[in-house]
Amino acid sequence: MTSILFLTFLGLLALGVPIAFSVAIAATTILIIGDVPLILIVQRMFAATDSFPLVAVPFFILAGDLLARGTISKKLVVFAESLMGQLRGALSAVSVVAGMFFAAISGSGAATTAAVGATLIPELKERQYREDSAAALIASAGCIGVVIPPSVPMVLYAVIADQSVTRLFQNGFVPGFMMGGVLIAIALKQAYDRNYPKGAPLSLKSVMAAFVPAIWGILMPLIILGGIFSGQFTPSEAAAVAVIYAGVVSFFVYRDLTMRELGTIILGSARTSAIIMIIIACSGIFGWVLANWKIPETVAQAVLSVSDNRLVVLFLMSIIILIAGIFMETSSAVILLTPVFLPLVKLIGVDLVHFGILFTVGIAIGMVTPPVAINLFVASSVTGLPIERIAKAVLPYLLGLIIMFLFYVYLPVLFPGIIF
């Protein structure tokens, strides 16, 4: 049954069938073979989406889309440059810092890449930075969009694995900052090798002048995450607060949003949310089939037959996650693979929150790993550069992110108690 399920699923994907329908058809095939009443399909689809924490998903998507269309990204870029302008190749570092700022607002890798790229790539090109490297760097920084909270994949993982969204959010900052640090280090090394220009020297006056217009964007993650961590509201309530805050800032502070544009944004967010919810619904059937035929336990035993050493098993799962990220969209990978991995993770005694974070990071790296690499396609559309040029330029950043990921996998072993 296991081979039939996965071969059917992979075969449908190879034929270009959308992932949600590939999952549903593969699972339905097993149900027919097993002579299971097909009414179960409707029941499991409904049960999969009947979860209060999932309310956060469309709200976080809408909040990110509201701010991504406005001038907030420009304000954050100016503020980041005021802090780091004295460095050689400072605009490269600013690209990453701006990506981290925007990650804490949007929760989306593609949105982060589009917003920061549209703002910074023309400026980078004007200052004689290599355009392909600049696009690759911003695409790589976009990966942080789903790691630094708020994060839609973390919400999905929390629902499937029955873990606390708050704990996942609390632990998302460490790998997010690690990713940013690695990208900045590589970008500054390239800046010195290529003799990129320095920016304006650091001054309190310029920092304050840039900080005041950017304060509204900086306050958003502080309000949302501060409210969650202090217990003032749940992650689902925080998502609704984020939408209200984004609307108020866009309409009345920056005044860069019209009612006509609002309708377009809501429609786009609804489409994105609908796609995710359809995948979740279809994965409900897939998950039931996995559990009923004990496929996760079979996978766990197969992996443990290679080695029962926790460090080796973690490494094998990490490689699978990186490979999955190449071919699958982030949310889809989390929804489909979490039920497969959970029994194995529990058997080897890995903290489920730590696994959820490393799962999110590993899948996020797939956003810049060719051939699928959604962030590279976004960067290509912003710059007009061929995807092949950007894919070649992204290799140093991709290698740095993979090394950082493997280090984070074993971080709790090196530093017990690092997971909150």
Side-chain angles (χ1 to χ4, degrees):
M1 287 294 184
T2 303
S3 58
I4 294 174
L5 179 68
F6 287 106
L7 286 174
T8 303
F9 172 62
L10 294 174
L12 290 167
L13 283 183
L15 291 172
V17 178
I19 190 165
F21 303 130
S22 297
V23 167
I25 294 170
T28 302
T29 302
I30 299 300
L31 294 179
I32 293 172
I33 293 173
D35 197 26
V36 177
L38 296 186
I39 188 64
L40 181 75
I41 295 173
V42 179
Q43 294 172 343
R44 298 317 306 170
M45 289 181 75
F46 179 80
T49 55
D50 185 22
S51 174
F52 179 70
L54 288 178
V55 173
V57 173
F59 281 121
F60 278 134
I61 291 171
L62 177 56
D65 287 348
L66 282 170
L67 290 175
R69 296 290 184 91
T71 60
I72 182 61
S73 56
K74 296 179 182 178
K75 308 293 184 185
L76 292 174
V77 165
V78 172
F79 175 58
E81 188 173 14
S82 72
L83 294 173
M84 309 186 72
Q86 72 278 11
L87 300 173
R88 182 175 298 282
L91 212 55
S92 295
V94 167
S95 302
V96 179
V97 174
M100 293 169 71
F101 272 130
F102 204 81
I105 294 174
S106 72
S108 165
T112 300
T113 303
V116 177
T119 303
L120 265 175
I121 287 176
E123 186 70 20
L124 286 159
K125 186 177 179 181
E126 184 177 326
R127 297 191 195 183
Q128 304 305 309
Y129 285 71
R130 273 183 50 177
E131 193 176 6
D132 54 353
S133 288
L137 175 60
I138 290 172
S140 301
C143 297
I144 307 174
V146 296
V147 178
I148 292 181
S151 166
V152 171
M154 287 184 194
V155 174
L156 298 175
Y157 175 85
V159 171
I160 298 167
D162 194 24
Q163 295 298 301
S164 165
V165 176
T166 301
R167 280 194 67 203
L168 284 159
F169 280 8
Q170 286 174 330
N171 287 278
F173 290 101
V174 172
F177 291 145
M178 289 170 63
M179 293 169 77
V182 166
L183 293 177
I184 289 173
I186 296 171
L188 292 180
K189 172 66 168 58
Q190 290 182 337
Y192 276 90
D193 291 344
R194 297 168 183 172
N195 198 31
Y196 286 160
K198 291 185 178 181
L202 180 67
S203 74
L204 182 60
K205 182 179 179 180
S206 63
V207 170
M208 290 307 299
F211 175 75
V212 173
I215 185 64
W216 297 101
I218 296 169
L219 280 176
M220 182 174 174
L222 296 179
I223 293 171
I224 304 309
L225 298 175
I228 295 173
F229 298 153
S230 65
Q232 295 302 309
F233 36 71
T234 66
S236 297
E237 293 166 344
V241 171
V243 171
I244 295 170
Y245 182 88
V248 170
V249 170
S250 298
F251 273 114
F252 302 111
V253 179
Y254 294 125
R255 299 181 182 180
D256 54 7
L257 188 65
T258 65
M259 289 303 296
R260 177 177 294 181
E261 290 171 332
L262 177 63
T264 303
I265 292 171
I266 291 175
L267 185 60
S269 300
R271 287 196 185 108
T272 304
S273 302
I275 290 169
I276 293 175
M277 295 306 291
I278 289 171
I279 294 172
I280 293 172
C282 292
S283 71
I285 319 165
F286 193 80
W288 188 89
V289 169
L290 290 176
N292 194 63
W293 270 269
K294 300 186 184 303
I295 292 173
E297 288 81 355
T298 303
V299 173
Q301 293 304 319
V303 174
L304 291 175
S305 68
V306 176
S307 173
D308 59 0
N309 184 293
R310 183 172 64 155
L311 302 183
V312 175
V313 173
L314 265 176
F315 178 77
L316 292 175
M317 285 195 294
S318 300
I319 298 301
I320 293 171
I321 289 168
L322 288 173
I323 293 172
I326 297 175
F327 300 103
M328 299 175 71
E329 186 269 332
T330 312
S331 297
S332 304
V334 171
I335 294 166
L336 295 178
L337 295 181
T338 297
V340 176
F341 281 131
L342 278 182
L344 182 57
V345 174
K346 292 174 182 177
L347 276 175
I348 63 176
V350 173
D351 187 287
L352 291 180
V353 169
H354 173 62
F355 180 75
I357 300 297
L358 73 86
F359 196 169
T360 303
V361 175
I363 292 296
I365 292 173
M367 293 179 175
V368 289
T369 309
V372 178
I374 180 63
N375 285 8
L376 297 188
F377 283 99
V378 172
S380 176
S381 67
V382 170
T383 60
L385 292 174
I387 190 72
E388 295 80 10
R389 277 189 62 188
I390 303 176
K392 184 177 180 181
V394 84
L395 292 178
Y397 306 118
L398 178 58
L399 180 61
L401 289 175
I402 291 173
I403 292 171
M404 187 286 309
F405 166 68
L406 294 174
F407 176 77
Y408 180 77
V409 167
Y410 298 108
L411 198 61
V413 177
L414 301 172
F415 302 99
I418 194 74
I419 303 299
F420 306 131

